[in-house]
């Protein structure tokens, strides 16, 4: 059985998120998703997500093809998460291209293209604008 793992904030779920999760799932038999904690999001973006970490984890857990969800609390723990969940492939959006190549010693790292012209930030800006 091949385990795929991916990470993300998944705030204001949109078609880009669904497409990435679907393409990731097609690479293996089991899809594990790390949802970034509120604190991790604040440390990366200097703002909190619109939905709480519990709400985002619940939403992701209900998506067809997602087998397990956990809370990602630190970017520095990615290697530990890969080992803990027995990842064969780490899938990330291509906006992270090259940033996780050092994890190829643990599992295969694959960067998938993002859906063009859609992002949570753009959705937030549009609705607030």
């Amino acid at each position: 059985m091949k385990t795929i793992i991916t990470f993300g904030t998944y705030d204001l779920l949109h078609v880009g998120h669904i497409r990435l999760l679907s393409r990731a799932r097609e690479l293996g038999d089991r899809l594990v998703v790390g949802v970034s904690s509120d604190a991790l999001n604040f440390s990366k973006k200097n703002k909190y997500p619109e939905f709480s970490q519990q709400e985002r984890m619940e939403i992701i857990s209900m998506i067809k093809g997602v087998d397990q969800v956990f809370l990602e609390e630190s970017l520095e723990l990615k290697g530990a998460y890969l080992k803990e969940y027995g990842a064969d492939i780490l899938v990330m959006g291509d906006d992270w291209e090259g940033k996780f190549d050092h994890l190829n010693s643990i599992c295969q790292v694959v960067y998938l293209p993002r859906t063009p012209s859609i992002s949570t930030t753009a959705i937030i800006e549009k609705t607030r604008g």
Side-chain angles (χ1 to χ4, degrees):
M1 176 157 63
K2 191 178 282 189
T3 298
I4 311 305
I5 193 168
T6 191
F7 298 85
T9 301
Y10 304 106
D11 197 22
L12 299 181
L13 193 69
H14 55 71
V15 70
H17 293 134
I18 299 299
R19 288 176 181 166
L20 183 79
L21 292 170
S22 176
R23 288 182 288 161
R25 182 63 165 86
E26 290 172 0
L27 297 175
D29 306 298
R30 180 171 172 257
L31 178 59
V32 178
V33 180
V35 174
S36 300
S37 71
D38 293 341
L40 177 56
N41 276 283
F42 190 82
S43 73
K44 290 190 304 186
K45 302 177 183 180
N46 206 29
K47 64 180 181 172
Y48 289 104
E50 299 293 315
F51 292 100
S52 73
Q53 60 195 34
Q54 281 74 27
E55 290 168 323
R56 292 180 287 113
M57 289 177 65
E58 183 178 345
I59 290 166
I60 296 302
S61 72
M62 292 181 193
I63 295 173
K64 180 181 176 185
V66 173
D67 297 296
Q68 188 172 359
V69 177
F70 69 94
L71 190 64
E72 177 191 21
E73 301 197 57
S74 170
L75 294 176
E76 290 74 31
L77 293 175
K78 278 220 188 328
Y81 294 132
L82 298 177
K83 292 174 185 174
E84 180 178 347
Y85 293 98
D88 296 294
I89 300 175
L90 165 62
V91 171
M92 297 298 293
D94 63 1
D95 53 325
W96 291 96
E97 185 112 28
K99 292 194 172 74
F100 297 107
D101 289 354
H102 63 283
L103 297 172
N104 271 309
S105 61
I106 299 172
C107 68
Q108 180 184 358
V109 179
V110 174
Y111 300 98
L112 296 178
R114 291 174 52 101
T115 301
S117 304
I118 188 162
S119 74
T120 300
T121 302
I123 291 170
I124 291 170
E125 289 172 0
K126 184 177 181 180
T127 58
R128 289 189 178 156

